[in-house]
Amino acid sequence: MLKSKTKLRAYLLAAMCCVFGISAGGSLAHAADGGASYNYSVWGDTVVSPSAYEATELLTGDKLGVGVFKDPSDLHVTPDNEIYVLDSGNNRIVVLDEDYSEATVIDSFEREGQTETFLNPQGIFVSDEKHLLIADTGNKRVVHLDEEGRLVNIVEKPSSELLKENFDFQPVRVIMDKAQRIYVMATGVFDGLMEFSAEGTFTSFIGANRVWVDPVELFWKRLSTKAQRSQMVMFTPTEFTNMDINDEGFIYATSGDMGDSIRKLNAQGSDILRRTGYFNPIGDINYRPADGRSRLIDVDVTDSEIYSVLDSKKGRIFTYNGDGHFMYVFGGMGNRIGEFNTPVAIERVGDDFLVLDKAFGEITVFQTTEYGRTLNEAVRSYYRGEEEKSFELYEQTINMNANLDFAYSGIGKSILRQGDYDDAMRYFKQSLDQRNYSKAFLLHRKEVLREHFGIIMTVIFGLIAIVLLTRAYRKMLDRKRGVSVE
């Protein structure tokens, strides 16, 4: 009887362990496999998070009345919310209004009286003046058209001492800054982005990625002969995978680099991206070794230094604030709405997201949830210097998602700007934001010293006076003793 009870207890204990094991690992496994929303705690644990975006609509070429999209590869949205879709397989650009209607098609242009077309174009960019730049990859050129579709310039294979004689110019992405300098990302170029003047003259490379060396490979190279080294992998910088430019002229670029896979480049090509979040912005920080880390293939920059990147491996869109704090994630791989087969490009239309799927030939429209809108506006309010509004919005965000650790830091920053250093320290401590906690502590200490300066100085001078009087009194006693002894 005793043995049977012991066995029964053992079976129950084993069953409970299985149940708790499944439930404990459920959220993490779901985050690793599906498109569920999640975030990362200060300690790097995957935690549950409300959805910031939800898929609401699918746009196809048939639905838009322009025929099936064939291998579309890029998107661009103008400040007035016109949407440009690069339908690469059909060698055309489809232009939509913000209501996803009234589509027009650009598939050719006039050059010296002759009509020319595109061949497998891979990238587009539209300036604030509605000038259209097309990375016409198959024709090995960049085509620059004005707002009326008239040819402005064509950038073809450049001639420079910086380029090899057999250099094959295959542009795949292109952007233009406010000074009309053109930046091109080309296949097989490891020296950075190619910079061209407004006239189309090649000037230099900017922002070359650093070379990342495998220590094991380097060790064996050191021990190998010259013939053996020639057969080994060369250590070269990685290529960029995509780029975008913000209103201030800073270029955001993604790469397959094992180091900093997101970079923010200034005019000199230096990386100035802030990485003061709990973890560097690289996509997923928790992943299976067999899957490997995120491969980021597109970046979209919006106002208030908020930027989003697309992970082609998992089909997820990660969004960060200007300090590098992870805000939210959505998307995934699959056949349901909101999931993708081969996502290639992302863009924002206001606060909505568009995600272009090359294999499905469709655009998925994502709209913000209440949680997403509140968090977006909290970050924007702080960026604009609206401390009280930011404080209120961050509190609302925490009420919806207590797992969002950086929101506590956001509240602390808002309070810090208002001069309440003591309360700010409390929020920074709660979010484990040591850097800002130290800043608040120094300011709080100065405030305390300033407030009690009079009392502190009175006490100090009082103590000095007591010490001096005590010494004088002792000396006087010593003299009296000396006189009495004589």
Side-chain angles (χ1 to χ4, degrees):
M1 185 68 178
L2 184 60
K3 287 183 179 180
S4 62
K5 284 185 178 180
T6 304
K7 285 184 179 180
L8 180 60
R9 287 176 182 173
Y11 290 142
L12 287 172
L13 182 61
M16 289 174 67
C17 288
C18 290
V19 171
F20 283 118
I22 292 170
S23 63
S27 63
L28 181 58
H30 192 52
D33 293 333
S37 183
Y38 57 94
N39 211 295
Y40 292 116
S41 71
V42 177
W43 309 108
D45 298 322
T46 306
V47 294
V48 177
S49 173
S51 296
Y53 278 83
E54 292 180 346
T56 57
E57 189 176 1
L58 285 177
L59 304 176
T60 63
D62 280 340
K63 185 175 181 179
L64 297 169
V66 295
V68 177
F69 288 138
K70 182 180 178 182
D71 296 331
S73 59
D74 203 8
L75 284 172
H76 189 90
V77 176
T78 62
D80 61 351
N81 292 336
E82 271 195 337
I83 303 154
Y84 288 69
V85 184
L86 182 58
D87 189 10
S88 302
N90 291 317
N91 300 313
R92 63 180 183 172
I93 298 101
V94 177
V95 187
L96 311 171
D97 63 18
E98 61 181 326
D99 297 320
Y100 315 117
S101 60
E102 299 184 12
T104 58
V105 175
I106 302 171
D107 56 8
S108 63
F109 61 94
E110 296 294 321
R111 183 183 187 187
E112 298 178 353
Q114 301 292 321
T115 300
E116 294 198 10
T117 57
F118 310 110
L119 180 60
N120 193 29
Q122 294 296 304
I124 53 172
F125 179 82
V126 186
S127 71
D128 292 344
E129 294 77 23
K130 296 293 183 69
H131 281 219
L132 175 62
L133 287 92
I134 306 103
D136 193 6
T137 310
N139 288 321
K140 301 181 180 182
R141 63 187 181 180
V142 173
V143 179
H144 180 184
L145 307 178
D146 67 11
E147 67 277 10
E148 300 295 332
R150 298 183 296 254
L151 179 64
V152 176
N153 195 13
I154 288 183
V155 177
E156 296 180 302
K157 177 182 176 181
S159 177
S160 171
E161 295 178 354
L162 299 175
L163 301 169
K164 297 179 181 178
E165 291 184 6
N166 61 347
F167 172 66
D168 188 19
F169 185 52
Q170 296 186 49
V172 290
R173 291 293 186 270
V174 59
I175 57 175
M176 186 170 69
D177 64 15
K178 294 186 184 299
Q180 296 194 337
R181 288 186 293 262
I182 298 171
Y183 300 91
V184 175
M185 195 182 82
T187 300
V189 174
F190 301 97
D191 299 306
L193 304 176
M194 303 180 70
E195 180 183 318
F196 295 83
S197 67
E199 293 74 29
T201 304
F202 175 70
T203 55
S204 64
F205 292 103
I206 70 162
N209 283 313
R210 290 180 294 175
V211 178
W212 289 89
V213 179
D214 183 349
V216 176
E217 186 73 22
L218 179 62
F219 173 76
W220 286 113
K221 272 199 169 187
R222 293 283 175 87
L223 299 179
S224 304
T225 63
K226 185 176 181 180
Q228 290 171 329
R229 286 197 297 270
S230 66
Q231 302 298 318
M232 291 183 174
V233 177
M234 296 291 291
F235 296 134
T236 57
T238 55
E239 293 179 89
F240 287 109
T241 55
N242 221 315
M243 57 184 175
D244 196 9
I245 190 167
N246 68 2
D247 293 336
E248 297 174 318
F250 295 114
I251 298 172
Y252 287 71
T254 55
S255 69
D257 200 337
M258 288 301 292
D260 299 326
S261 51
I262 308 171
R263 304 178 70 194
K264 179 181 179 180
L265 306 176
N266 61 16
Q268 290 74 41
S270 301
D271 181 16
I272 59 171
L273 188 72
R274 295 199 301 278
R275 299 178 178 86
T276 56
Y278 302 122
F279 308 96
N280 283 350
I282 58 171
D284 270 323
I285 63 170
N286 290 336
Y287 50 84
R288 297 185 183 92
D291 296 334
R293 57 177 284 172
S294 297
R295 176 168 174 74
L296 307 181
I297 60 165
D298 196 11
V299 56
D300 175 73
V301 189
T302 186
D303 61 294
S304 308
E305 296 187 336
I306 299 172
Y307 59 95
S308 303
V309 290
L310 172 63
D311 176 9
S312 64
K313 285 188 176 181
K314 296 292 184 180
R316 293 174 181 151
I317 296 89
F318 298 87
T319 298
Y320 301 88
N321 72 358
D323 290 326
H325 280 292
F326 178 31
M327 293 173 60
Y328 46 76
V329 61
F330 61 93
M333 291 296 199
N335 296 310
R336 296 176 299 179
I337 185 169
E339 298 177 338
F340 320 105
N341 180 287
T342 312
V344 290
I346 55 174
E347 280 287 326
R348 284 180 184 258
V349 182
D351 245 3
D352 294 351
F353 256 103
L354 304 180
V355 183
L356 180 65
D357 193 306
K358 188 168 189 171
F360 289 160
E362 62 189 19
I363 301 168
T364 305
V365 181
F366 288 84
Q367 293 185 330
T368 53
T369 62
E370 182 183 359
Y371 171 72
R373 286 191 295 274
T374 305
L375 181 53
N376 285 339
E377 193 56 32
V379 173
R380 287 172 176 145
S381 296
Y382 177 77
Y383 182 84
R384 294 191 297 259
E386 300 169 359
E387 289 82 11
E388 291 185 5
K389 184 177 180 181
S390 176
F391 172 82
E392 293 173 2
L393 290 169
Y394 270 125
E395 280 203 323
Q396 292 177 32
T397 303
I398 290 171
N399 290 335
M400 289 184 273
N401 181 16
N403 290 328
L404 190 64
D405 290 326
F406 98 86
Y408 295 96
S409 178
I411 291 176
K413 289 178 183 177
S414 299
I415 296 173
L416 186 67
R417 280 187 177 179
Q418 296 177 49
D420 190 349
Y421 308 129
D422 189 29
D423 207 23
M425 287 167 58
R426 180 169 61 86
Y427 280 100
F428 290 139
K429 184 176 182 179
Q430 189 167 357
S431 63
L432 296 183
D433 189 341
Q434 297 180 358
R435 179 172 168 269
N436 283 302
Y437 180 88
S438 298
K439 182 179 179 181
F441 175 77
L442 290 173
L443 292 170
H444 177 61
R445 186 176 64 182
K446 287 181 180 178
E447 185 181 54
V448 170
L449 290 173
R450 192 182 302 114
E451 184 178 346
H452 300 92
F453 181 78
I455 297 173
I456 293 171
M457 292 308 296
T458 301
V459 171
I460 290 173
F461 282 120
L463 291 173
I464 292 173
I466 291 171
V467 171
L468 293 175
L469 288 172
T470 302
R471 285 182 178 178
Y473 179 71
R474 285 179 177 175
K475 286 181 180 180
M476 183 181 69
L477 290 177
D478 290 341
R479 288 196 199 99
K480 287 183 177 180
R481 289 186 188 132
V483 171
S484 62
V485 170
E486 292 176 358

Coordinates of all heavy atoms in Angstrom, one line a residue, residues 33-34 70 72 89 92 224 253 270 403 435 456 461 474 484:
D33 N 8.9 31.2 -32.5 CA 8.3 30.5 -33.7 C 7.3 31.3 -34.5 O 7.3 31.3 -35.7 CB 7.7 29.2 -33.4 CG 8.8 28.2 -32.9 OD1 9.9 28.3 -33.3 OD2 8.4 27.3 -32.1
G34 N 6.4 32.0 -33.8 CA 5.3 32.6 -34.4 C 5.4 34.1 -34.5 O 6.5 34.7 -34.4
K70 N 4.5 41.2 -60.0 CA 5.4 40.2 -60.3 C 6.8 40.5 -59.6 O 7.4 41.4 -60.1 CB 5.6 39.9 -61.8 CG 6.5 38.8 -62.1 CD 6.6 38.6 -63.6 CE 7.6 37.5 -64.0 NZ 7.7 37.3 -65.5
P72 N 7.7 42.1 -56.9 CA 7.9 43.5 -56.4 C 9.0 43.5 -55.4 O 9.2 42.6 -54.6 CB 6.6 43.8 -55.8 CG 6.0 42.5 -55.3 CD 6.4 41.5 -56.3
G89 N 9.3 42.6 -61.6 CA 9.1 41.6 -62.6 C 8.4 42.2 -63.8 O 8.5 41.7 -64.9
R92 N 8.1 48.2 -63.9 CA 7.2 49.4 -63.7 C 7.2 49.8 -62.3 O 7.5 49.1 -61.4 CB 5.8 49.1 -64.3 CG 5.1 48.0 -63.4 CD 3.7 47.7 -63.9 NE 3.1 46.8 -63.1 CZ 1.8 46.4 -63.1 NH1 1.0 47.0 -64.1 NH2 1.2 45.5 -62.3
S224 N 49.1 28.6 -41.5 CA 49.0 28.0 -42.8 C 50.1 28.6 -43.8 O 50.7 29.7 -43.5 CB 47.6 28.3 -43.5 OG 46.6 27.7 -42.6
A253 N 21.3 52.7 -42.3 CA 21.6 51.5 -43.2 C 21.7 50.2 -42.4 O 22.0 50.2 -41.3 CB 23.0 51.8 -43.9
S270 N 30.5 58.5 -40.6 CA 30.7 58.0 -39.3 C 29.3 57.5 -38.7 O 28.3 58.1 -38.9 CB 31.3 59.0 -38.4 OG 32.5 59.5 -38.9
N403 N 5.4 45.0 -18.5 CA 6.6 44.4 -18.8 C 7.6 45.3 -19.6 O 8.7 44.9 -19.9 CB 6.4 43.1 -19.6 CG 5.8 42.0 -18.7 OD1 6.1 41.9 -17.5 ND2 5.0 41.2 -19.4
R435 N 22.7 54.7 -16.0 CA 23.3 56.0 -16.6 C 22.5 57.2 -16.2 O 23.0 58.2 -15.7 CB 23.4 55.8 -18.1 CG 23.9 57.1 -18.8 CD 24.1 56.7 -20.3 NE 24.4 57.9 -21.0 CZ 23.4 58.7 -21.6 NH1 22.2 58.3 -21.5 NH2 23.7 59.7 -22.3
I456 N 24.4 74.1 6.1 CA 25.6 73.3 6.0 C 26.8 74.2 6.3 O 27.7 73.8 7.1 CB 25.7 72.7 4.6 CG1 24.7 71.6 4.4 CG2 27.1 72.1 4.4 CD1 24.6 71.1 3.0
F461 N 31.3 76.1 9.7 CA 32.0 77.2 10.4 C 31.9 77.0 11.9 O 32.8 77.3 12.6 CB 31.4 78.6 10.0 CG 32.0 79.0 8.6 CD1 31.1 79.2 7.6 CD2 33.3 79.2 8.4 CE1 31.6 79.6 6.3 CE2 33.8 79.6 7.2 CZ 32.9 79.8 6.1
R474 N 42.9 74.7 25.4 CA 43.9 73.7 25.8 C 45.2 74.4 26.0 O 46.0 74.1 26.9 CB 44.0 72.6 24.8 CG 42.8 71.6 24.9 CD 42.9 70.5 23.9 NE 41.8 69.5 24.0 CZ 41.6 68.5 23.2 NH1 42.5 68.3 22.2 NH2 40.6 67.6 23.4
S484 N 52.2 77.3 37.3 CA 52.1 76.7 38.6 C 53.2 75.8 39.0 O 53.6 75.7 40.1 CB 50.7 76.0 38.7 OG 50.7 74.9 37.8

